[in-house]
Amino acid sequence: MAYPYEKCYPGGSKTLTIAGYVLLAAGILLVFCCIPVWAWLALLGILLIAAGFVLLRISQAGR
């Protein structure tokens, strides 16, 4: 199955693809390294609250 952009950009370069993946990985690594610990803990707290809410809703579904 051909994607629409392949008509405009035929072929493709392995070097550019690898460079793109390297840049994506470097960007993700920088984001993870630069976010402070308190932000990770706040995110964990939000996830725990959401999980608790879901469990409470599931436990009351049969009532």
Side-chain angles (χ1 to χ4, degrees):
M1 180 176 154
Y3 294 103
Y5 60 82
E6 289 179 351
K7 292 179 183 177
C8 297
Y9 304 105
S13 170
K14 282 283 193 195
T15 306
L16 290 177
T17 303
I18 292 171
Y21 283 126
V22 168
L23 288 175
L24 282 173
I28 291 170
L29 182 66
L30 280 175
V31 167
F32 283 135
C33 289
C34 293
I35 293 177
V37 174
W38 62 265
W40 287 114
L41 293 175
L43 181 63
L44 179 62
I46 291 170
L47 291 175
L48 289 173
I49 290 169
F53 181 74
V54 168
L55 288 176
L56 287 174
R57 296 292 288 178
I58 290 173
S59 68
Q60 295 175 356
R63 295 184 188 182

